[in-house]
Amino acid sequence: MLLDSERSYDLIGDVHGCARSLARLLEQMGYRREAGVWRHPRRMALFLGDIIDRGPRIREALHLVHEMVEAGQALCIMGNHEYNALGWYTEAPADSPRQYVRERTPRHERLLQQTFRQFDGHAGDWRDFLAWFQQLPLFIDAGRFRLVHACWDKPLIAQLKSQFADGRVDEAFVRASAVPGSFANRVFERLLRGTDMRLPQGLTLTSEEGFTRAYFRTKFWEDDPQTYGDVVFQPDALPESVASLPLTPTDKGRLLQYGADEPMLFVGHYWRRGRPAPIRANLACLDYSAVMYGKLVAYRLDDEQQIDPGKFVWVEVERPEAPQ
């Protein structure tokens, strides 16, 4: 996707309904609300997805971002939560074991319940946003920098580009993702959820939110990892007894590697904590757990070729950002 070479960019991590914090961040970066839209005279906002779910002002956040996009002041890629919302309403094809792309289980409903609640009485508004989600690209490749919500898988993206050059898929592609192991399923799982690995010895982990998992999220850039602890990339740490276990050759073979010589890559998704900083010179995560009263983070990109640690900006999310 071609971007305006005359502009600089502000890349913004997962908002999750923290609309007031987003407005504060934009104002801090020199954007001003004019004619109902946040604008900057020389810069453009690029959102990394996950505008919805969990937070207190989801409708407000969606309107803010959508209005910026419609006015040419921003672009937004799809996050796994926008995909989840699409999948909740999209019927699966006949060869899928599911009725809908996103199975209507209590666990999946729980992830979407704040969004459903805040759109109660605004059915038309919600339909419009679902149609917009369908138009969101799954990635942006601007040449010297790239955006994807969770993981850049070069072969998958190359194949996806052959069907959808700008990364915007159609409803049939969303439906096809309901078939486990299909190309569409692998695209959404890898690009929007990242890489994962099964816990050894049949172990499971229960997160702070109460979800029990048999898998954990993994790094997709480590050159020579030796243990499970070397590849874990999620807020819930592995028990030391697991983290110290050596990776098997099979496990190592499943890991991706985003090379140090690749263009700068910006992702969200991973609920980081602490002071925002690059993971390495060509890779940064901009999700710093805003909806858990962490930081809503942006990176101010100009003409640099490597990520500058001094160009991260953020606002602390205040307690409470009262529900609408």
Side-chain angles (χ1 to χ4, degrees), residues 85 104 107 281:
R104 294 190 170 187
R107 179 182 184 275

Side-chain angles (χ1 to χ4, degrees), residues 36-291:
V37 177
W38 287 90
R39 304 172 187 269
H40 195 287
R42 297 173 305 280
R43 306 186 71 88
M44 185 179 192
L46 304 178
F47 292 92
L48 285 163
D50 278 8
I51 310 300
I52 68 168
D53 291 347
R54 293 195 170 104
R57 294 179 177 273
I58 295 163
R59 283 185 63 236
E60 186 178 332
L62 278 172
H63 277 289
L64 188 161
V65 174
H66 181 255
E67 286 159 7
M68 290 184 73
V69 172
E70 288 293 292
Q73 301 300 307
L75 292 172
C76 181
I77 62 173
M78 189 186 295
N80 59 301
H81 284 261
E82 285 80 30
Y83 168 66
N84 290 347
L86 279 175
W88 185 266
Y89 296 97
T90 303
E91 291 188 359
D95 55 345
S96 169
R98 310 170 186 171
Q99 183 178 359
Y100 292 91
V101 170
R102 184 70 168 169
E103 293 175 294
R104 294 190 170 187
T105 65
R107 179 182 184 275
H108 292 167
E109 184 175 19
R110 179 181 167 189
L111 288 172
L112 286 160
Q113 66 183 357
Q114 277 293 339
T115 299
F116 292 157
R117 183 182 69 78
Q118 292 177 38
F119 275 92
D120 188 28
H122 303 276
D125 220 14
W126 182 231
R127 282 194 299 272
D128 289 345
F129 281 123
L130 285 170
W132 181 53
F133 295 166
Q134 182 65 69
Q135 299 169 22
L136 298 177
L138 302 188
F139 64 88
I140 290 175
D141 189 345
R144 68 184 179 88
F145 70 93
R146 296 165 169 170
L147 308 182
V148 71
H149 184 66
C151 177
W152 192 273
D153 185 315
K154 193 171 182 178
L156 272 183
I157 288 175
Q159 188 176 350
L160 182 63
K161 281 182 177 179
S162 70
Q163 297 182 37
F164 305 97
D166 63 358
R168 292 183 171 96
V169 300
D170 56 21
E171 185 179 344
F173 195 83
V174 174
R175 281 200 304 273
S177 71
V179 180
S182 67
F183 173 61
N185 178 260
R186 289 186 289 119
V187 164
F188 282 114
E189 288 297 316
R190 181 59 57 85
L191 273 57
L192 303 191
R193 303 191 201 282
T195 57
D196 57 20
M197 185 176 291
R198 181 179 288 277
L199 287 160
Q201 303 169 357
L203 294 172
T204 60
L205 289 176
T206 301
S207 72
E208 293 178 359
E209 294 180 291
F211 296 126
T212 298
R213 299 181 175 92
Y215 290 80
F216 66 95
R217 291 173 178 169
T218 56
K219 299 173 183 177
F220 56 89
W221 60 88
E222 286 295 311
D223 293 328
D224 188 27
Q226 299 300 315
T227 68
Y228 284 90
D230 290 339
V231 297
V232 65
F233 190 46
Q234 61 180 25
D236 306 309
L238 298 178
E240 179 55 36
S241 58
V242 175
S244 61
L245 289 175
L247 289 166
T248 67
T250 301
D251 287 337
K252 285 187 180 182
R254 293 194 181 110
L255 293 170
L256 282 184
Q257 291 186 354
Y258 189 78
D261 58 345
E262 298 275 6
M264 291 180 291
L265 175 63
F266 297 88
V267 300
H269 190 59
Y270 293 103
W271 296 75
R272 303 200 84 197
R273 297 184 176 122
R275 183 180 179 85
I279 294 170
R280 66 183 195 197
N282 70 333
L283 176 61
C285 175
L286 301 182
D287 179 5
Y288 277 78
S289 309
V291 77

Side-chain angles (χ1 to χ4, degrees), residues 312-323:
F312 290 83
V313 297
W314 61 87
V315 294
E316 302 283 347
V317 178
E318 298 172 350
R319 289 177 180 266
E321 182 167 305

